[in-house]
């Protein structure tokens, strides 16, 4: 996608006259100009970071541990699912490499699956350790994280930003739990250096590809910022989030066209529609990737929920800023995944694939904490329980977030 600066309309008489002259000379782009939301510049990072504080907090972990110990559902079945997965194995051998090379659709796949799955395993093992208090799980998580921090230097090829975002989302979740709830991790400093030197530079500046890329990259950036206690990196991630979410989910208040992200270069109606997969009819909750498929849309909605959840733990709750967009998006896609016929005005009357195990975090925040009625999302969420892993960056969210009041 071409990048560029979108001209601003100046509030002067001369500028207005020029604008009217231009309008008479050329077709209007849209009922409103395709101008991006300008991400607010105010600081977002907390004065003091909360640990563990990436996606899950200590009170949330304590709630989960209590529910599992009581044999309560759906947490017990979700826990059993997690513990029966390959990611909880105490015999797992990490497969680090110096350069992870990931092409489009993982072709080539030189360490891509290994890295993502080792990162999910480290997170899984950290959850297992907290719930069971069995130090063997912590030691295995540490072994995996130390193996990678001793070796990896770079990510290459076309999917490097997305790969770094996916793996970089899981690593800080694991690292936060181990560093702040386990007795000893001598290699935590080297792991932090890995996150700062190898992962953060790849994700911090975002992407003008499909929106799920930048959202996943921003999720990694905010998690890394928490682990490193890097306030500047945290603020930058929140700025990216505030610019991208309104450009990823449409609501009717946006006008005749969706908003566009800062620097996107989407300065005509035709460019915007092309970016939205050819969709020219817009409705509450439509995602930039809805007409691509629901799976990639699910990646984006999941990352939005994860970023907002981390911000909430850190004391600046981003959910209220994006609640209307996120609830409409979850509801629209859940409704059609549940079988409501797709109108011809939406993606030509056909939607592909499914969202995946991605609704627990956002549903718990919006419905249970903020009180929004979300019937379709609730039905889909409960039908999919226990939600497992998508083997990319989502794992065990029925266990960690189902009805979690903390």
């Amino acid at each position: 996608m071409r990048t560029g600066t979108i001209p601003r309309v100046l509030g002067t008489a001369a500028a207005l006259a020029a604008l009217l002259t231009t309008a008479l000379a050329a077709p209007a782009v849209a009922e409103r100009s395709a101008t991006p939301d300008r991400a607010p510049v105010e600081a977002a990072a907390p004065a003091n970071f909360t640990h563990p504080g990436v996606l899950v907090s200590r009170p949330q972990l304590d709630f989960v541990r209590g529910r599992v110990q009581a044999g309560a559902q759906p947490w017990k079945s979700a826990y059993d699912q997690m513990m029966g997965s390959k990611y909880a194995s105490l015999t797992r051998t990490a497969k680090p490499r110096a350069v992870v090379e990931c092409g489009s659709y993982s072709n080539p796949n030189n360490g891509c699956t290994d890295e993502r799955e080792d990162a999910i395993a480290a997170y899984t093992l950290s959850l297992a350790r907290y719930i069971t208090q069995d130090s063997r799980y912590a030691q295995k998580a540490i072994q995996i994280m130390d193996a990678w921090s001793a070796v990896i230097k770079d990510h290459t090829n076309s999917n490097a930003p997305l790969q770094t975002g996916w793996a970089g989302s899981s690593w800080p979740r694991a690292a936060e739990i181990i560093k702040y709830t386990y007795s000893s991790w001598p290699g935590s400093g080297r792991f932090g250096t890995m996150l700062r030197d190898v992962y953060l530079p790849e994700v911090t500046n975002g992407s003008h590809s499909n929106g799920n890329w930048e959202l996943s990259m921003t999720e990694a950036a905010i998690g890394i910022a928490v682990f490193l206690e890097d306030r500047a990196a945290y603020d930058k991630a929140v700025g990216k989030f505030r610019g991208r979410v309104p450009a990823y989910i449409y609501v009717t208040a946006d006008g005749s066209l969706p908003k566009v992200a800062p620097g996107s270069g989407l300065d005509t109606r035709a460019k915007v529609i092309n970016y939205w997969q050819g969709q020219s009819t817009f409705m509450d909750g439509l995602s930039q990737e809805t007409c691509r498929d629901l799976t990639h849309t699910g990646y984006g909605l999941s990352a939005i929920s994860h970023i907002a959840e981390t911000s909430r733990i850190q004391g600046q709750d981003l959910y209220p800023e994006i609640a209307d967009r996120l609830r409409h998006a979850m509801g629209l896609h859940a409704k059609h995944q549940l079988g409501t016929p797709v109108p011809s005005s939406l993606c030509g009357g056909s939607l592909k694939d499914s969202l995946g195990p991605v609704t627990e975090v956002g549903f718990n925040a919006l419905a249970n904490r903020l009180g929004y009625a979300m019937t379709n999302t609730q039905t889909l969420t409960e039908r999919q329980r226990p939600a497992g892993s998508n083997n990319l960056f989502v794992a065990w969210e029925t266990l960690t977030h189902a009805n979690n009041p903390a």
Side-chain angles (χ1 to χ4, degrees):
M1 185 62 62
R2 180 178 67 82
T3 60
T5 302
I6 300 172
R8 298 184 186 181
V9 178
L10 301 178
T12 66
L16 179 58
L19 178 62
L20 291 173
T21 300
T22 302
L24 292 172
V29 169
E31 293 175 14
R32 61 160 190 82
S33 58
T35 303
D37 277 0
R38 296 297 175 185
V41 297
E42 70 268 16
N48 296 292
F49 285 92
T50 297
H51 302 291
V54 176
L55 188 59
V56 290
S57 65
R58 188 184 291 267
Q60 287 174 303
L61 291 168
D62 286 338
F63 171 82
V64 171
R65 185 166 184 255
R67 295 289 80 202
V68 171
Q69 288 180 330
Q73 298 297 352
W75 305 276
K76 181 59 168 61
S77 61
Y79 169 77
D80 290 341
Q81 175 195 44
M82 181 184 79
M83 296 303 286
S85 75
K86 62 184 178 181
Y87 298 117
S89 172
L90 289 170
T91 62
R92 186 180 188 87
T93 300
K95 298 178 180 178
R97 62 173 65 209
V99 178
V100 174
E101 182 186 12
C102 305
S104 181
Y105 297 98
S106 293
N107 182 24
N109 181 344
N110 295 324
C112 315
T113 300
D114 292 338
E115 180 188 32
R116 293 193 306 264
E117 293 194 350
D118 276 348
I120 292 173
Y123 175 54
T124 301
L125 292 158
S126 72
L127 290 173
R129 186 270 157 186
Y130 196 92
I131 294 169
T132 66
Q133 296 294 295
D134 186 334
S135 64
R136 293 178 300 165
Y137 293 107
Q139 289 300 315
K140 178 55 70 171
I142 289 170
Q143 184 183 88
I144 293 170
M145 291 188 285
D146 284 353
W148 278 91
S149 68
V151 172
I152 190 167
K153 300 298 181 186
D154 200 9
H155 297 85
T156 64
N157 216 315
S158 59
N159 265 25
L162 183 60
Q163 171 73 18
T164 311
W166 282 341
S169 294
S170 297
W171 286 130
R173 299 176 204 159
E176 281 280 299
I177 295 171
I178 294 299
K179 182 175 181 179
Y180 292 100
T181 73
Y182 186 63
S183 57
S184 177
W185 180 16
S188 64
R190 188 178 72 191
F191 190 82
T193 299
M194 175 194 80
L195 293 179
R196 182 179 295 283
D197 293 349
V198 179
Y199 289 81
L200 188 58
E202 188 73 45
V203 299
T204 189
N205 292 320
S207 166
H208 292 305
S209 183
N210 284 300
N212 82 86
W213 277 50
E214 183 159 270
L215 290 164
S216 292
M217 293 163 71
T218 301
E219 179 185 349
I222 201 168
I224 291 168
V226 170
F227 186 74
L228 298 177
E229 297 195 330
D230 186 328
R231 300 185 79 250
Y234 188 100
D235 287 347
K236 187 172 183 177
V238 171
K240 288 289 181 186
F241 178 83
R242 285 173 163 158
R244 173 57 68 175
V245 174
Y248 193 70
I249 301 170
Y250 174 85
V251 290
T252 54
D254 293 338
S256 63
L257 283 178
K259 294 181 180 292
V260 299
S264 68
L266 301 175
D267 53 3
T268 69
R269 179 180 178 85
K271 289 179 183 178
V272 172
I273 290 173
N274 181 64
Y275 186 58
W276 282 65
Q277 321 297 325
Q279 177 73 9
S280 58
T281 301
F282 301 98
M283 59 204 70
D284 279 328
L286 184 75
S287 160
Q288 179 257 318
E289 296 186 273
T290 300
C291 296
R292 181 186 185 187
D293 60 67
L294 268 61
T295 300
H296 284 88
T297 299
Y299 298 164
L301 300 184
S302 179
I304 290 169
S305 301
H306 293 169
I307 294 163
E309 191 73 2
T310 294
S311 79
R312 186 189 66 84
I313 294 168
Q314 296 305 324
Q316 190 199 44
D317 194 347
L318 293 172
Y319 276 118
E321 296 182 23
I322 52 92
D324 202 44
R325 294 181 190 275
L326 184 58
R327 72 182 180 91
H328 279 304
M330 294 177 74
L332 174 68
H333 296 89
K335 175 178 70 175
H336 293 301
Q337 186 171 327
L338 290 167
T340 297
V342 181
S344 60
S345 60
L346 176 58
C347 308
S350 177
L351 295 174
K352 294 186 292 186
D353 302 334
S354 63
L355 291 173
V358 303
T359 60
E360 289 279 14
V361 177
F363 174 71
N364 187 52
L366 298 177
N368 296 334
R369 293 197 193 108
L370 298 182
Y372 289 104
M374 299 176 68
T375 304
N376 289 316
T377 305
Q378 180 173 355
T379 299
L380 180 63
T381 299
E382 292 176 350
R383 183 174 296 182
Q384 293 185 150
R385 286 176 177 169
S389 175
N390 69 356
N391 304 312
L392 300 173
F393 70 106
V394 176
W396 323 126
E397 294 182 354
T398 296
L399 177 64
T400 57
H401 287 83
N403 304 326
N404 195 321

